[in-house]
Amino acid sequence: MAMLFIISFIFLFASYLLKPVRETLVLVNGGAEMRSYVIAAQAMLLLAVLPAYGLLFKHSDKQVLMQTIIGCMAGFLCFFYMNTYIFLVQMPMAFYIWMGLFGVLIVAQFWAFTSDLYSEGAGKRLFAIIALGASSGAWAGSLAAKKLFEAMGPEGLVLIAIAMLAMTMLVVPRIERTIPKTSHSSYTPEQEIIDQHIFSGFRLVFASRYLLAIAIFVVLFNWVNSTGDFILSAWVDTRAEEIVGTDPEAKSNYIGTFYAEFYFMMSLVGFLIQALLVSRIIKYFGVSLALTILPIIIIMGYLGIMIFPIFTFFYVFRIAENSIGYSLQNTVRQVLFLPTSKQEKYEARSVIETFFWRIGDVLQALVVYIGYNLLDMEWKHYAIMNLVLTVIMLAMALRIGYHYRKLHANWNPDDLLAEIHNPEQEPA
């Protein structure tokens, strides 16, 4: 568990170290509207990445798969560093797309790897502690970014992230030996029916009402969250011009400093929630009820912004929404995959946590395009849309809770994949 804690710490530390770099590059070179369109491009790229990931899963053991994903992420980061800071070829949009893939793919792979190691009972006990490593890494990374952004510049932050990712590749082969037998997953290869189709991850999702409900929930959650990011970034972009003018360097420093502080506060609150509340909420209220907490808070937040339409209120609300999303919501979402088969843990989960996650971004970008170019929408209209979407998200959370309780009581690891080979049966 200690090694998984450390790896989750490093992944989130590197991610939050790079976020101010990402926001500065995109907002200075393209603005809030362009930011939304670039996010949508990530979903299209995943249609090519996920089949390749599926091939790696079918022909590699879990340790090799984990090391390969980390190596690819670090390699692409080296490529962007050399082009941007050595050859002076600006690649802000490509870097943003890479950051999007890094943020979802490497985290999905980590939790697939982790849930494959632990039994369901051990996972419920330990996932909150392992996720604490991620929360503390996010807090430490945002704190380091805040301190180092002005001292080292964005290129220094990129180099630190590369070194940290390289370190994790050395730790991965030693992890499984540290898992006690009483906590190790009892799932064996003989239980697995491998679907060899190139898009098997998608087939698994659409074959299961449970997995499909999670996928829809993820789409809605990220659609709402990305729209909130758009509202905030547009607000920050406007405030930057009001305070420092249109000078690119001054605007870049203002935006970079703002987001470093924003991510610091968000990760600090998330760390405290993860350390003090998450395990207790899951233990005493259960997984199903815990899944509904964030939608309820988002509904209250957007109702509040209608009453108090000021930047400070929205800033505080966004910190609360993101910190709960990255702590409680993330931990509960990983627990949902514990009573699933190995292929579902890896391929179906990767499809949900990457492609369906980015579909939310695509829908958000589409709404931004229509709002900017056809309907002249203001931030209040986007807030109302988020309120409606979150009500639907709450309904989906209740549906997932129903399926989780049913699956938890009657789970057979062969059932879902058997449905793919017997499509005339009704989905589970």
Side-chain angles (χ1 to χ4, degrees), residues 371-382:
Y372 254 69
N373 296 282
L374 300 178
L375 302 178
D376 196 25
M377 290 175 64
E378 298 180 355
W379 69 266
K380 290 184 179 180
H381 301 115
Y382 293 107

Side-chain angles (χ1 to χ4, degrees), residues 220-340:
L220 292 169
F221 169 65
N222 200 39
W223 186 355
V224 169
N225 190 261
S226 296
T227 303
D229 284 341
F230 167 74
I231 296 171
L232 180 64
S233 62
W235 218 329
V236 171
D237 199 25
T238 300
R239 285 170 61 89
E241 293 186 0
E242 292 174 352
I243 294 172
V244 301
T246 57
D247 177 66
E249 184 176 355
K251 187 177 178 182
S252 173
N253 289 333
Y254 176 87
I255 293 173
T257 302
F258 172 85
Y259 272 102
E261 293 176 351
F262 173 75
Y263 289 127
F264 167 74
M265 290 302 300
M266 182 184 75
S267 57
L268 175 60
V269 175
F271 169 77
L272 293 174
I273 293 172
Q274 187 73 53
L276 302 176
L277 298 177
V278 171
S279 61
R280 291 173 174 83
I281 290 172
I282 294 175
K283 179 179 179 180
Y284 294 110
F285 295 96
V287 173
S288 301
L289 184 58
L291 192 63
T292 67
I293 291 176
L294 182 59
I296 292 172
I297 290 176
I298 295 175
I299 290 171
M300 294 172 60
Y302 278 106
L303 288 174
I305 198 66
M306 299 297 178
I307 301 172
F308 304 104
I310 55 177
F311 179 78
T312 302
F313 181 87
F314 189 69
Y315 175 80
V316 172
F317 162 60
R318 289 294 296 157
I319 289 174
E321 178 187 349
N322 283 335
S323 60
I324 295 171
Y326 283 111
S327 55
L328 176 63
Q329 183 70 37
N330 181 63
T331 305
V332 172
R333 205 165 66 244
Q334 307 316 322
V335 171
L336 294 177
F337 286 94
L338 282 170
T340 59

Side-chain angles (χ1 to χ4, degrees), residues 77-342:
L77 191 55
C78 290
F79 171 77
F80 288 126
Y81 175 84
M82 292 179 63
N83 275 276
T84 303
Y85 301 113
I86 296 179
F87 300 114
L88 303 180
V89 179
Q90 295 298 314
M91 306 177 68
M93 304 311 167
F95 181 79
Y96 201 103
I97 291 172
W98 174 87
M99 274 291 295
L101 293 179
F102 173 81
V104 294
L105 185 58
I106 204 165
V107 172
Q109 172 59 30
F110 170 80
W111 282 110
F113 179 74
T114 303
S115 59
D116 193 21
L117 291 173
Y118 285 105
S119 65
E120 186 177 357
K124 284 184 177 180
R125 294 194 311 272
L126 300 176
F127 274 18
I129 301 174
I130 295 170
L132 181 61
S135 297
S136 57
W139 173 74
S142 59
L143 178 62
K146 181 180 178 182
K147 300 293 184 181
L148 298 176
F149 186 85
E150 293 184 4
M152 302 180 64
E155 61 270 27
L157 303 186
V158 173
L159 282 175
I160 294 173
I162 292 171
M164 298 194 75
L165 289 177
M167 288 170 53
T168 63
M169 296 182 66
L170 303 176
V171 179
V172 170
R174 305 180 182 183
I175 292 176
E176 191 164 11
R177 297 196 298 268
T178 66
I179 307 297
K181 289 184 179 180
T182 54
S183 298
H184 202 285
S185 172
S186 59
Y187 195 82
T188 61
E190 289 75 17
Q191 291 175 289
E192 183 67 59
I193 303 172
I194 298 293
D195 179 12
Q196 298 292 342
H197 194 275
I198 188 171
F199 287 108
S200 54
F202 289 90
R203 284 156 59 96
L204 289 166
V205 172
F206 286 106
S208 166
R209 291 174 182 172
Y210 178 61
L211 294 177
L212 185 58
I214 297 175
I216 295 171
F217 179 88
V218 165
V219 170
L220 292 169
F221 169 65
N222 200 39
W223 186 355
V224 169
N225 190 261
S226 296
T227 303
D229 284 341
F230 167 74
I231 296 171
L232 180 64
S233 62
W235 218 329
V236 171
D237 199 25
T238 300
R239 285 170 61 89
E241 293 186 0
E242 292 174 352
I243 294 172
V244 301
T246 57
D247 177 66
E249 184 176 355
K251 187 177 178 182
S252 173
N253 289 333
Y254 176 87
I255 293 173
T257 302
F258 172 85
Y259 272 102
E261 293 176 351
F262 173 75
Y263 289 127
F264 167 74
M265 290 302 300
M266 182 184 75
S267 57
L268 175 60
V269 175
F271 169 77
L272 293 174
I273 293 172
Q274 187 73 53
L276 302 176
L277 298 177
V278 171
S279 61
R280 291 173 174 83
I281 290 172
I282 294 175
K283 179 179 179 180
Y284 294 110
F285 295 96
V287 173
S288 301
L289 184 58
L291 192 63
T292 67
I293 291 176
L294 182 59
I296 292 172
I297 290 176
I298 295 175
I299 290 171
M300 294 172 60
Y302 278 106
L303 288 174
I305 198 66
M306 299 297 178
I307 301 172
F308 304 104
I310 55 177
F311 179 78
T312 302
F313 181 87
F314 189 69
Y315 175 80
V316 172
F317 162 60
R318 289 294 296 157
I319 289 174
E321 178 187 349
N322 283 335
S323 60
I324 295 171
Y326 283 111
S327 55
L328 176 63
Q329 183 70 37
N330 181 63
T331 305
V332 172
R333 205 165 66 244
Q334 307 316 322
V335 171
L336 294 177
F337 286 94
L338 282 170
T340 59
S341 70
K342 183 173 183 177

Side-chain angles (χ1 to χ4, degrees), residues 32-92:
E33 184 181 8
M34 181 59 70
R35 178 184 183 277
S36 296
Y37 303 150
V38 172
I39 289 175
Q42 296 167 1
M44 301 300 101
L45 183 59
L46 284 167
L47 287 175
V49 171
L50 287 171
Y53 174 85
L55 290 174
L56 279 173
F57 164 75
K58 294 178 179 71
H59 297 92
S60 305
D61 63 42
K62 55 178 173 285
Q63 293 180 356
V64 173
L65 180 60
M66 186 75 175
Q67 288 179 302
T68 301
I69 297 299
I70 298 171
C72 287
M73 294 294 106
F76 280 119
L77 191 55
C78 290
F79 171 77
F80 288 126
Y81 175 84
M82 292 179 63
N83 275 276
T84 303
Y85 301 113
I86 296 179
F87 300 114
L88 303 180
V89 179
Q90 295 298 314
M91 306 177 68

